[in-house]
Every structure is written in C-alpha cells, then in structure tokens.
C-alpha cells in the first residue's frame, strides 16, 4: 500500500496533472472549488476518508456539518 499522503496526492493533484487539468487538484486562488473535508486527519488515519462531512463543488456547498 501507499502512505496516506501519497494516496491523497494520487487522487488529487497527480490525477489532475495526468489528465491535463491544470485548474484541478489544488486548493488555491483561480482553481475550481471542488473540496471535500473529513472529521479527522487522514495522514494519521486514512479511514477517516470514509466519512465525508463537507462537500463543495464549483463553489457551492452541497454538504456541511450539522
């Protein structure tokens, strides 16, 4: 298996780079606002990614903590 940080990069910035999508995969000004958040630190426990608590797509919030 991969280290958690490598898995996160593979699913985000590396995947965007491979697909030629320069405006995806990073959180910074000018990028598309597709973001998910989890309750915990996935670098310490990758299983927290199974429970997404916040979702934003194209700058619109679709799910947020209660």
């Amino acid at each position: 298996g991969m280290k958690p940080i490598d898995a996160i990069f593979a699913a985000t910035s590396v995947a965007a780079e491979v697909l030629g999508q320069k405006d995806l995969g990073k959180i910074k000004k000018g990028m598309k606002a597709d973001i998910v958040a989890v309750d915990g630190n996935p670098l310490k426990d990758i299983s927290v990614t199974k429970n997404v608590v916040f979702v934003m797509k194209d700058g619109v919030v679709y799910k947020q903590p209660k």
Side-chain angles (χ1 to χ4, degrees):
M2 297 175 137
K3 293 179 183 177
I5 190 67
D6 294 332
I8 291 168
F9 280 133
T12 57
S13 57
V14 173
E17 184 179 328
V18 168
L19 295 171
Q21 301 295 312
K22 296 182 184 212
D23 60 345
L24 299 177
K26 297 179 183 160
I27 300 173
K28 69 180 200 178
K29 187 175 181 176
M31 299 293 214
K32 291 186 178 179
D34 294 353
I35 301 168
V36 297
V38 296
D39 189 18
N41 184 345
L43 300 179
K44 293 184 179 181
D45 180 8
I46 195 68
S47 71
V48 300
T49 60
K50 294 178 182 179
N51 184 26
V52 174
V53 297
F54 177 86
V55 177
M56 178 186 288
K57 178 159 178 53
D58 294 327
V60 177
V61 175
Y62 287 90
K63 180 178 183 179
Q64 60 187 4
K66 296 176 184 178

